[in-house]
Amino acid sequence: MAKGYFADDETRAERVRDLFDTIAPRYDLINDLQSLWLHRRWKKRLVTLANPQPGQRALDLCCGTGDIAAALAQQGAEVTALDFSQPMLDQAAARFPESKIIFLQGDALKTGQPDNHYHHVTIAYGLRNLASVQAGLAEMHRVAKPGGKLLVLDFGKPRSRFLRFWYRGYLKFAVPLFGKIFCRNAPAYAYIHESLENYPAQEGVDQMLRDLGCRETKIHPILGGTMTINEAVK
């Protein structure tokens, strides 16, 4: 069972929200450092796979500081971006003040959005943080239009034992060090390794999408499967 921020009890959601409230001011900096700026390329790939057309509706869940939402909007999509952390939303609004993105504070498990409404539903580095991965995918499926795309970018589980050992070690020891140096808060940045303890990763997410009735499910591995984009059509 996961401990700390991701302990499986009734206070989990509140503790995870407090975590992201705390790290919001330095969230982009740490993401750049820990990924060697590659996370921006991976997010662009997700948007390329979405391939939104002007006027189509897109919902970006756990939007953080707005990278995915802004990229979708630049392609002409009408974007709603939702996150449960108001400080994250404040950072996003400050980064993209001229955008027409609708930023909403809310729960990715209960978005309050209408059924069968969005042409694209995306989530990047947020699914594993939810209290229930299955419920999060079910909510994405509910709000997507028939024929709409569901896209998930998150940490994966490499098939290579050597790569898996190296990557887990990096997340466990190096990333918290970045947090200690740049934010004076190493425990807050240990959350990534902690959040992966019970995360089903790419194969599990793919199966859940199939169980929801999605078709054309695909797994797009990145860096040997350390990162993954799951793609599906409702």
Side-chain angles (χ1 to χ4, degrees), residues 20-21 24 45 49 75 95 100 117 131 153 186 212 231:
F20 283 96
D21 288 352
R45 184 173 177 185
L49 290 170
Q75 298 298 316
R95 290 182 68 202
K100 295 182 180 180
H117 186 68
L153 168 61
L212 285 168
E231 178 183 6

Side-chain angles (χ1 to χ4, degrees), residues 15 52 59 76 78 83 114 149 152-153 159 162 174 176 180 182 212 219-221 233:
R15 283 182 285 106
L59 175 65
E78 298 174 2
D83 201 285
K149 284 188 178 181
V152 178
L153 168 61
R159 291 184 177 180
F162 172 77
K180 181 177 181 180
F182 294 97
L212 285 168
I219 298 173
H220 302 275
V233 175

Side-chain angles (χ1 to χ4, degrees), residues 27-43:
Y27 182 74
D28 290 321
L29 172 63
I30 296 297
N31 278 350
D32 285 338
L33 292 172
Q34 70 188 11
S35 72
L36 301 178
W37 281 261
L38 291 173
H39 73 100
R40 299 180 185 275
R41 180 181 299 178
W42 304 331
K43 290 171 181 175

Side-chain angles (χ1 to χ4, degrees), residues 23 26 104 135-136 191:
I23 66 177
R26 295 294 183 92
L104 298 176
Y191 83 91

Side-chain angles (χ1 to χ4, degrees), residues 144-166:
K145 293 172 64 70
K149 284 188 178 181
L150 284 67
L151 290 154
V152 178
L153 168 61
D154 218 313
F155 290 85
K157 183 178 290 184
R159 291 184 177 180
S160 164
R161 288 186 178 181
F162 172 77
L163 185 56
R164 190 160 59 243
F165 175 81
W166 174 87

